[in-house]
Amino acid sequence: MSFAQLGLSDPILNAISDLDYAQPTEIQAKAIPLVLKGEDLIASAQTGTGKTASFVLPILHQLNNDEAVRARSIRALILVPTRELAKQVESSIQAYSQNLELSSLAIYGGTSVESDKQALAQGIDILVATPGRLLDMAYQRAVFFDDLAFLVLDEADKMLDMGFIEDIHKIIDRLPASRQSLLFSATLDGKVRHLADAVYPDAVEVKVAPKGQTPN
Ligand code: AMP
């Protein structure tokens, strides 16, 4: 399986080739075609499996065929548990979208609210956010979700362990129902299963083995 066989556009394939990714990882080979088809997805995939590209690449592909973003609007939202992951995911987006005219931004607590507001004012294609800071921005009317087409919950198990369940529901309540929704988590049991059943009732489930283990 090669990246070219997955159906991604040339500017994205060129970026991947610049990064010297020889072939898709297991989660990428499984998830990318499903996301390109418009499916909702819940995936068990740990850090190190290449999970970030498995949702970023097909979202970039679909956003690139679409319209320009409006002021204070976003088109894709990636919720993450920590500022470290927010920065890391946003830097992956920068690398994967280097040949595209798409904007991305990471927002998280502990930084200037005013500078986040200014950055959001022009409109952002892909926003990576921790739940608390995102709600803060929504309450201050610095960000609107009317044009949102994609929601990703990344490291959902960690977000729930950190007590973000209420914030996540408050955010999801504000999003258009017509969106495509993806969830990535190291495990898909307990609280995560409960959330997935509630928010992603029609999702396709994808499992991959942790890095270094054989799939079961
Ligand atoms: P992640 O699991 O998304 O945190 O990715 C783990 C690491 O694997 C990151 O450093 C990525 O740059 C790298 N990576 C992702 N996909 C591939 C691939 N197909 N080939 C080689 N490296 C990759």
Side-chain angles (χ1 to χ4, degrees):
M1 167 73 75
S2 70
F3 275 106
Q5 287 170 288
L6 293 176
L8 297 164
S9 56
D10 284 344
I12 298 174
L13 293 176
N14 291 338
I16 293 167
S17 149
D18 281 354
L19 292 167
D20 285 331
Y21 291 4
Q23 60 187 46
T25 64
E26 187 189 357
I27 183 67
Q28 291 162 4
K30 287 183 172 170
I32 291 172
L34 292 168
V35 181
L36 289 176
K37 260 173 65 186
E39 300 280 1
D40 284 356
L41 195 81
I42 56 172
S44 66
Q46 298 184 338
T47 301
T49 56
K51 68 178 169 65
T52 313
S54 76
F55 58 83
V56 171
L57 298 177
I59 289 176
L60 291 175
H61 178 94
Q62 296 183 79
L63 289 180
N64 196 41
N65 298 333
D66 247 320
E67 287 159 26
V69 66
R70 292 192 288 178
R72 288 188 194 77
S73 285
I74 59 170
R75 298 164 71 203
L77 172 62
I78 301 167
L79 283 179
V80 296
T82 62
R83 84 179 63 178
E84 290 71 27
L85 187 60
K87 287 185 200 168
Q88 197 183 309
V89 169
E90 207 268 330
S91 106
S92 296
I93 295 170
Q94 292 282 345
Y96 300 144
S97 67
Q98 59 181 288
N99 303 319
L100 303 174
E101 298 287 316
L102 294 171
S103 55
S104 59
L105 174 71
I107 62 169
Y108 36 82
T111 59
S112 156
V113 167
E114 280 312 311
S115 62
D116 280 356
K117 278 176 151 176
Q118 274 174 26
L120 286 165
Q122 60 212 304
I124 294 289
D125 290 296
I126 308 169
L127 182 66
V128 187
T130 52
R133 177 55 63 105
L134 180 72
L135 272 179
D136 206 6
M137 290 294 104
Y139 292 150
Q140 297 195 40
R141 303 179 68 77
V143 63
F144 293 91
F145 304 109
D146 311 71
D147 298 331
L148 187 118
F150 298 94
L151 167 69
V152 182
L153 301 188
D154 190 18
E155 301 200 356
D157 50 341
K158 196 162 175 189
M159 283 201 278
L160 298 186
D161 286 346
M162 289 172 72
F164 284 132
I165 185 71
E166 277 184 30
D167 283 355
I168 289 172
H169 280 295
K170 282 182 195 158
I171 292 163
I172 289 175
D173 284 349
R174 292 173 163 257
L175 307 182
S178 59
R179 68 180 187 268
Q180 188 177 353
S181 302
L182 316 174
L183 177 147
F184 287 78
S185 181
T187 60
L188 287 178
D189 45 24
K191 286 186 280 189
V192 180
R193 174 62 63 186
H194 197 70
L195 175 70
D197 288 346
V199 178
Y200 301 72
D202 303 320
V204 178
E205 190 167 322
V206 170
K207 283 194 171 154
V208 300
K211 212 177 164 207
Q213 286 185 21
T214 324
N216 52 26

Short mmCIF file of all heavy atoms in Angstrom, two decimals, residues 68-75 103-105 115-125 142-143:
data_model
loop_
_atom_site.label_atom_id
_atom_site.label_comp_id
_atom_site.label_asym_id
_atom_site.label_seq_id
_atom_site.Cartn_x
_atom_site.Cartn_y
_atom_site.Cartn_z
N ALA A 68 -13.41 29.32 1.10
CA ALA A 68 -12.60 30.07 2.06
C ALA A 68 -13.35 30.23 3.38
O ALA A 68 -14.57 30.27 3.42
CB ALA A 68 -12.27 31.44 1.48
N VAL A 69 -12.58 30.33 4.45
CA VAL A 69 -13.18 30.44 5.78
C VAL A 69 -13.62 31.89 6.06
O VAL A 69 -12.98 32.84 5.62
CB VAL A 69 -12.18 29.93 6.85
CG1 VAL A 69 -10.97 30.82 6.94
CG2 VAL A 69 -12.84 29.74 8.18
N ARG A 70 -14.72 32.02 6.82
CA ARG A 70 -15.22 33.36 7.16
C ARG A 70 -14.60 33.84 8.47
O ARG A 70 -14.11 33.03 9.27
CB ARG A 70 -16.74 33.31 7.33
CG ARG A 70 -17.45 33.04 6.01
CD ARG A 70 -18.93 33.30 6.15
NE ARG A 70 -19.60 32.27 6.94
CZ ARG A 70 -20.89 32.30 7.23
NH1 ARG A 70 -21.64 33.31 6.82
NH2 ARG A 70 -21.46 31.34 7.94
N ALA A 71 -14.65 35.15 8.68
CA ALA A 71 -14.09 35.74 9.91
C ALA A 71 -14.69 35.07 11.15
O ALA A 71 -15.89 34.77 11.18
CB ALA A 71 -14.38 37.24 9.95
N ARG A 72 -13.85 34.82 12.15
CA ARG A 72 -14.24 34.19 13.44
C ARG A 72 -14.86 32.82 13.27
O ARG A 72 -15.51 32.32 14.17
CB ARG A 72 -15.21 35.09 14.23
CG ARG A 72 -14.53 36.30 14.81
CD ARG A 72 -15.40 37.09 15.74
NE ARG A 72 -14.81 38.37 15.98
CZ ARG A 72 -14.85 39.38 15.10
NH1 ARG A 72 -15.49 39.23 13.97
NH2 ARG A 72 -14.24 40.50 15.37
N SER A 73 -14.69 32.22 12.10
CA SER A 73 -15.21 30.88 11.89
C SER A 73 -14.06 29.89 11.81
O SER A 73 -12.93 30.26 11.54
CB SER A 73 -15.99 30.82 10.58
OG SER A 73 -17.23 31.45 10.75
N ILE A 74 -14.40 28.62 12.05
CA ILE A 74 -13.43 27.55 11.80
C ILE A 74 -14.14 26.45 11.01
O ILE A 74 -15.36 26.36 11.00
CB ILE A 74 -12.87 26.97 13.12
CG1 ILE A 74 -13.98 26.40 14.00
CG2 ILE A 74 -12.06 28.01 13.85
CD1 ILE A 74 -13.46 25.61 15.19
N ARG A 75 -13.35 25.65 10.30
CA ARG A 75 -13.95 24.58 9.47
C ARG A 75 -13.64 23.20 10.02
O ARG A 75 -14.34 22.25 9.72
CB ARG A 75 -13.44 24.72 8.03
CG ARG A 75 -13.85 26.05 7.42
CD ARG A 75 -13.04 26.35 6.20
NE ARG A 75 -13.41 25.48 5.11
CZ ARG A 75 -12.61 25.20 4.09
NH1 ARG A 75 -11.40 25.70 4.04
NH2 ARG A 75 -13.02 24.43 3.13
N SER A 103 -5.18 27.65 6.73
CA SER A 103 -4.61 28.20 7.97
C SER A 103 -4.91 27.27 9.15
O SER A 103 -5.94 26.60 9.17
CB SER A 103 -5.22 29.58 8.24
OG SER A 103 -6.62 29.49 8.27
N SER A 104 -3.99 27.25 10.10
CA SER A 104 -4.22 26.46 11.31
C SER A 104 -3.70 27.24 12.52
O SER A 104 -2.86 28.13 12.39
CB SER A 104 -3.53 25.10 11.20
OG SER A 104 -2.15 25.26 11.00
N LEU A 105 -4.24 26.88 13.68
CA LEU A 105 -3.88 27.58 14.91
C LEU A 105 -4.08 26.63 16.08
O LEU A 105 -5.00 25.81 16.06
CB LEU A 105 -4.82 28.80 15.09
CG LEU A 105 -4.71 29.60 16.39
CD1 LEU A 105 -3.40 30.40 16.42
CD2 LEU A 105 -5.90 30.56 16.53
N SER A 115 -4.43 37.52 22.49
CA SER A 115 -3.75 37.13 21.25
C SER A 115 -4.48 35.98 20.57
O SER A 115 -4.54 35.92 19.33
CB SER A 115 -2.26 36.84 21.47
OG SER A 115 -2.12 35.78 22.34
N ASP A 116 -5.11 35.07 21.34
CA ASP A 116 -5.93 34.03 20.71
C ASP A 116 -7.11 34.66 19.98
O ASP A 116 -7.46 34.26 18.86
CB ASP A 116 -6.46 33.04 21.76
CG ASP A 116 -5.42 32.00 22.16
OD1 ASP A 116 -4.31 32.00 21.57
OD2 ASP A 116 -5.70 31.19 23.06
N LYS A 117 -7.75 35.65 20.60
CA LYS A 117 -8.90 36.32 19.98
C LYS A 117 -8.50 36.95 18.65
O LYS A 117 -9.20 36.85 17.65
CB LYS A 117 -9.44 37.41 20.89
CG LYS A 117 -10.37 36.92 21.97
CD LYS A 117 -10.72 38.10 22.82
CE LYS A 117 -12.05 38.03 23.47
NZ LYS A 117 -12.30 39.16 24.36
N GLN A 118 -7.34 37.63 18.68
CA GLN A 118 -6.88 38.28 17.44
C GLN A 118 -6.59 37.26 16.36
O GLN A 118 -6.92 37.44 15.20
CB GLN A 118 -5.60 39.08 17.72
CG GLN A 118 -5.90 40.48 18.21
CD GLN A 118 -4.64 41.21 18.61
OE1 GLN A 118 -3.55 40.89 18.12
NE2 GLN A 118 -4.77 42.15 19.51
N ALA A 119 -5.96 36.15 16.76
CA ALA A 119 -5.62 35.12 15.77
C ALA A 119 -6.87 34.49 15.18
O ALA A 119 -6.92 34.14 14.00
CB ALA A 119 -4.74 34.06 16.42
N LEU A 120 -7.92 34.35 16.00
CA LEU A 120 -9.16 33.73 15.52
C LEU A 120 -9.99 34.68 14.65
O LEU A 120 -10.82 34.24 13.86
CB LEU A 120 -10.02 33.29 16.71
CG LEU A 120 -9.53 32.04 17.45
CD1 LEU A 120 -10.23 31.93 18.81
CD2 LEU A 120 -9.79 30.79 16.62
N ALA A 121 -9.74 36.00 14.80
CA ALA A 121 -10.63 36.99 14.17
C ALA A 121 -10.70 36.85 12.66
O ALA A 121 -11.75 37.05 12.05
CB ALA A 121 -10.18 38.40 14.55
N GLN A 122 -9.58 36.49 12.04
CA GLN A 122 -9.57 36.44 10.56
C GLN A 122 -10.25 35.18 10.01
O GLN A 122 -10.54 35.12 8.82
CB GLN A 122 -8.14 36.53 10.05
CG GLN A 122 -7.29 35.39 10.55
CD GLN A 122 -5.84 35.79 10.74
OE1 GLN A 122 -5.22 36.27 9.82
NE2 GLN A 122 -5.32 35.59 11.95
N GLY A 123 -10.50 34.20 10.90
CA GLY A 123 -11.03 32.92 10.42
C GLY A 123 -9.88 31.93 10.27
O GLY A 123 -8.82 32.28 9.74
N ILE A 124 -10.08 30.71 10.76
CA ILE A 124 -9.03 29.69 10.77
C ILE A 124 -9.62 28.41 10.18
O ILE A 124 -10.71 28.01 10.56
CB ILE A 124 -8.58 29.42 12.23
CG1 ILE A 124 -7.89 30.67 12.83
CG2 ILE A 124 -7.68 28.21 12.32
CD1 ILE A 124 -6.52 30.97 12.25
N ASP A 125 -8.92 27.81 9.25
CA ASP A 125 -9.44 26.56 8.67
C ASP A 125 -9.43 25.43 9.70
O ASP A 125 -10.42 24.73 9.86
CB ASP A 125 -8.60 26.16 7.45
CG ASP A 125 -8.83 27.11 6.28
OD1 ASP A 125 -9.96 27.16 5.79
OD2 ASP A 125 -7.88 27.81 5.89
N ALA A 142 -15.57 34.85 20.24
CA ALA A 142 -14.36 35.00 19.42
C ALA A 142 -14.29 33.91 18.37
O ALA A 142 -13.47 33.98 17.45
CB ALA A 142 -13.12 34.94 20.32
N VAL A 143 -15.13 32.86 18.52
CA VAL A 143 -15.14 31.78 17.52
C VAL A 143 -16.57 31.27 17.37
O VAL A 143 -17.31 31.16 18.34
CB VAL A 143 -14.15 30.65 17.91
CG1 VAL A 143 -14.52 29.96 19.20
CG2 VAL A 143 -14.03 29.61 16.79
#
